[in-house]
Short mmCIF file of all heavy atoms in Angstrom, two decimals:
data_model
loop_
_atom_site.label_atom_id
_atom_site.label_comp_id
_atom_site.label_asym_id
_atom_site.label_seq_id
_atom_site.Cartn_x
_atom_site.Cartn_y
_atom_site.Cartn_z
N LYS Y 214 100.81 90.78 109.10
CA LYS Y 214 100.56 90.45 110.50
C LYS Y 214 99.47 89.38 110.63
O LYS Y 214 99.58 88.44 111.43
CB LYS Y 214 100.17 91.71 111.25
CG LYS Y 214 99.95 91.49 112.75
CD LYS Y 214 99.63 92.81 113.44
CE LYS Y 214 99.39 92.60 114.93
NZ LYS Y 214 99.06 93.88 115.62
N LYS Y 215 98.42 89.54 109.83
CA LYS Y 215 97.33 88.56 109.88
C LYS Y 215 97.81 87.19 109.40
O LYS Y 215 97.49 86.15 110.01
CB LYS Y 215 96.16 89.04 109.01
CG LYS Y 215 95.36 90.19 109.60
CD LYS Y 215 94.60 89.73 110.83
CE LYS Y 215 93.69 90.83 111.35
NZ LYS Y 215 92.93 90.39 112.55
N LEU Y 216 98.55 87.18 108.31
CA LEU Y 216 99.03 85.90 107.78
C LEU Y 216 99.99 85.22 108.74
O LEU Y 216 100.06 83.98 108.78
CB LEU Y 216 99.71 86.11 106.43
CG LEU Y 216 98.81 86.49 105.25
CD1 LEU Y 216 99.64 86.76 104.01
CD2 LEU Y 216 97.80 85.38 104.97
N GLY Y 217 100.72 86.01 109.51
CA GLY Y 217 101.65 85.42 110.47
C GLY Y 217 100.98 84.59 111.53
O GLY Y 217 101.60 83.70 112.13
N GLY Y 218 99.70 84.87 111.80
CA GLY Y 218 98.98 84.11 112.83
C GLY Y 218 98.06 83.05 112.27
O GLY Y 218 97.24 82.47 113.01
N GLU Y 219 98.12 82.81 110.95
CA GLU Y 219 97.23 81.83 110.32
C GLU Y 219 97.99 80.56 109.94
O GLU Y 219 99.07 80.61 109.35
CB GLU Y 219 96.63 82.45 109.04
CG GLU Y 219 95.66 83.59 109.28
CD GLU Y 219 94.36 83.12 109.90
OE1 GLU Y 219 93.99 81.95 109.69
OE2 GLU Y 219 93.72 83.95 110.59
N ALA Y 220 97.39 79.42 110.29
CA ALA Y 220 97.98 78.14 109.92
C ALA Y 220 97.81 77.89 108.42
O ALA Y 220 98.71 77.36 107.76
CB ALA Y 220 97.35 77.01 110.74
N ASN Y 221 96.64 78.24 107.88
CA ASN Y 221 96.36 78.04 106.46
C ASN Y 221 96.22 79.41 105.79
O ASN Y 221 95.15 80.02 105.77
CB ASN Y 221 95.07 77.23 106.28
CG ASN Y 221 94.89 76.78 104.84
OD1 ASN Y 221 95.36 77.44 103.90
ND2 ASN Y 221 94.19 75.67 104.65
N ARG Y 222 97.31 79.92 105.26
CA ARG Y 222 97.33 81.27 104.72
C ARG Y 222 96.48 81.39 103.45
O ARG Y 222 95.81 82.40 103.23
CB ARG Y 222 98.76 81.70 104.43
CG ARG Y 222 99.64 81.76 105.67
CD ARG Y 222 101.03 82.21 105.34
NE ARG Y 222 101.86 82.31 106.52
CZ ARG Y 222 103.13 82.71 106.54
NH1 ARG Y 222 103.70 83.05 105.38
NH2 ARG Y 222 103.81 82.76 107.65
N VAL Y 223 96.52 80.35 102.63
CA VAL Y 223 95.75 80.39 101.38
C VAL Y 223 94.26 80.46 101.70
O VAL Y 223 93.49 81.21 101.06
CB VAL Y 223 96.06 79.15 100.52
CG1 VAL Y 223 95.13 79.10 99.30
CG2 VAL Y 223 97.52 79.17 100.08
N ASP Y 224 93.82 79.73 102.69
CA ASP Y 224 92.41 79.76 103.08
C ASP Y 224 92.01 81.15 103.59
O ASP Y 224 90.94 81.65 103.26
CB ASP Y 224 92.16 78.69 104.16
CG ASP Y 224 90.70 78.65 104.56
OD1 ASP Y 224 89.86 78.34 103.68
OD2 ASP Y 224 90.39 78.93 105.74
N TRP Y 225 92.88 81.76 104.37
CA TRP Y 225 92.58 83.10 104.89
C TRP Y 225 92.47 84.11 103.75
O TRP Y 225 91.58 84.95 103.73
CB TRP Y 225 93.66 83.54 105.87
CG TRP Y 225 93.36 84.87 106.51
CD1 TRP Y 225 92.65 85.11 107.63
CD2 TRP Y 225 93.78 86.16 106.02
NE1 TRP Y 225 92.57 86.46 107.89
CE2 TRP Y 225 93.26 87.13 106.90
CE3 TRP Y 225 94.52 86.59 104.92
CZ2 TRP Y 225 93.46 88.48 106.73
CZ3 TRP Y 225 94.73 87.94 104.74
CH2 TRP Y 225 94.21 88.89 105.64
N LEU Y 226 93.40 84.04 102.79
CA LEU Y 226 93.35 84.94 101.64
C LEU Y 226 92.08 84.73 100.83
O LEU Y 226 91.48 85.69 100.32
CB LEU Y 226 94.58 84.73 100.75
CG LEU Y 226 95.91 85.26 101.29
CD1 LEU Y 226 97.06 84.81 100.42
CD2 LEU Y 226 95.89 86.77 101.42
N GLY Y 227 91.63 83.49 100.72
CA GLY Y 227 90.38 83.21 100.01
C GLY Y 227 89.19 83.83 100.70
O GLY Y 227 88.30 84.40 100.04
N ARG Y 228 89.17 83.73 102.01
CA ARG Y 228 88.04 84.32 102.77
C ARG Y 228 88.07 85.85 102.65
O ARG Y 228 87.03 86.49 102.54
CB ARG Y 228 88.10 83.91 104.24
CG ARG Y 228 87.91 82.41 104.48
CD ARG Y 228 87.57 82.12 105.95
NE ARG Y 228 88.50 82.75 106.88
CZ ARG Y 228 89.62 82.17 107.32
NH1 ARG Y 228 89.98 80.96 106.86
NH2 ARG Y 228 90.41 82.79 108.17
N MET Y 229 89.27 86.44 102.69
CA MET Y 229 89.38 87.90 102.55
C MET Y 229 88.91 88.35 101.17
O MET Y 229 88.20 89.35 101.04
CB MET Y 229 90.83 88.34 102.79
CG MET Y 229 91.06 89.84 102.62
SD MET Y 229 90.00 90.86 103.67
CE MET Y 229 90.54 90.34 105.30
N PHE Y 230 89.30 87.62 100.12
CA PHE Y 230 88.84 87.96 98.77
C PHE Y 230 87.32 87.88 98.69
O PHE Y 230 86.67 88.75 98.10
CB PHE Y 230 89.47 87.01 97.75
CG PHE Y 230 88.93 87.20 96.36
CD1 PHE Y 230 89.36 88.24 95.56
CD2 PHE Y 230 87.94 86.35 95.87
CE1 PHE Y 230 88.84 88.42 94.29
CE2 PHE Y 230 87.41 86.52 94.60
CZ PHE Y 230 87.88 87.56 93.80
N GLN Y 231 86.75 86.82 99.27
CA GLN Y 231 85.30 86.66 99.23
C GLN Y 231 84.61 87.80 99.96
O GLN Y 231 83.58 88.32 99.49
CB GLN Y 231 84.91 85.31 99.85
CG GLN Y 231 83.42 85.02 99.77
CD GLN Y 231 83.07 83.66 100.35
OE1 GLN Y 231 83.90 83.01 100.99
NE2 GLN Y 231 81.84 83.22 100.13
N PHE Y 232 85.19 88.22 101.08
CA PHE Y 232 84.60 89.33 101.84
C PHE Y 232 84.62 90.62 101.01
O PHE Y 232 83.61 91.33 100.91
CB PHE Y 232 85.38 89.54 103.15
CG PHE Y 232 85.04 90.83 103.84
CD1 PHE Y 232 83.85 90.97 104.55
CD2 PHE Y 232 85.89 91.93 103.76
CE1 PHE Y 232 83.53 92.17 105.17
CE2 PHE Y 232 85.58 93.13 104.38
CZ PHE Y 232 84.39 93.24 105.09
N LEU Y 233 85.77 90.94 100.41
CA LEU Y 233 85.87 92.16 99.62
C LEU Y 233 84.96 92.12 98.41
O LEU Y 233 84.37 93.13 98.00
CB LEU Y 233 87.32 92.37 99.19
CG LEU Y 233 88.33 92.68 100.30
CD1 LEU Y 233 89.74 92.74 99.73
CD2 LEU Y 233 87.99 93.99 101.00
N ASN Y 234 84.82 90.95 97.81
CA ASN Y 234 84.04 90.80 96.59
C ASN Y 234 82.54 90.81 96.85
O ASN Y 234 81.77 91.31 96.02
CB ASN Y 234 84.44 89.51 95.88
CG ASN Y 234 83.90 89.44 94.47
OD1 ASN Y 234 83.99 90.41 93.72
ND2 ASN Y 234 83.32 88.31 94.10
N GLU Y 235 82.12 90.31 98.00
CA GLU Y 235 80.69 90.11 98.23
C GLU Y 235 80.11 90.98 99.37
O GLU Y 235 78.91 91.25 99.36
CB GLU Y 235 80.41 88.63 98.56
CG GLU Y 235 80.79 87.68 97.44
CD GLU Y 235 80.59 86.23 97.82
OE1 GLU Y 235 80.10 85.98 98.96
OE2 GLU Y 235 80.90 85.34 97.00
N SER Y 236 80.95 91.40 100.30
CA SER Y 236 80.41 92.06 101.50
C SER Y 236 80.89 93.49 101.70
O SER Y 236 80.41 94.18 102.60
CB SER Y 236 80.77 91.24 102.75
OG SER Y 236 80.27 89.92 102.63
N ALA Y 237 81.87 93.95 100.93
CA ALA Y 237 82.35 95.33 101.06
C ALA Y 237 81.61 96.22 100.06
O ALA Y 237 81.32 95.81 98.94
CB ALA Y 237 83.85 95.39 100.80
N TYR Y 238 81.29 97.43 100.48
CA TYR Y 238 80.47 98.32 99.66
C TYR Y 238 81.14 99.70 99.54
O TYR Y 238 81.83 100.15 100.45
CB TYR Y 238 79.09 98.51 100.28
CG TYR Y 238 78.26 97.26 100.31
CD1 TYR Y 238 78.32 96.39 101.41
CD2 TYR Y 238 77.42 96.92 99.25
CE1 TYR Y 238 77.56 95.23 101.45
CE2 TYR Y 238 76.66 95.76 99.28
CZ TYR Y 238 76.74 94.92 100.38
OH TYR Y 238 75.99 93.77 100.41
#
């Protein structure tokens, strides 16, 4: 659902990976 609303899907996936890797505990 999130990817369906994103123009740049690869960029969104990169930001999600960074969030999980650096900001999720």
Side-chain angles (χ1 to χ4, degrees):
K214 183 177 179 181
K215 286 292 185 180
L216 290 176
E219 292 289 334
N221 190 332
R222 297 181 178 182
V223 173
D224 182 63
W225 184 87
L226 287 171
R228 295 197 309 271
M229 178 56 63
F230 173 79
Q231 184 178 11
F232 168 76
L233 293 175
N234 192 46
E235 299 177 2
S236 302
Y238 295 89

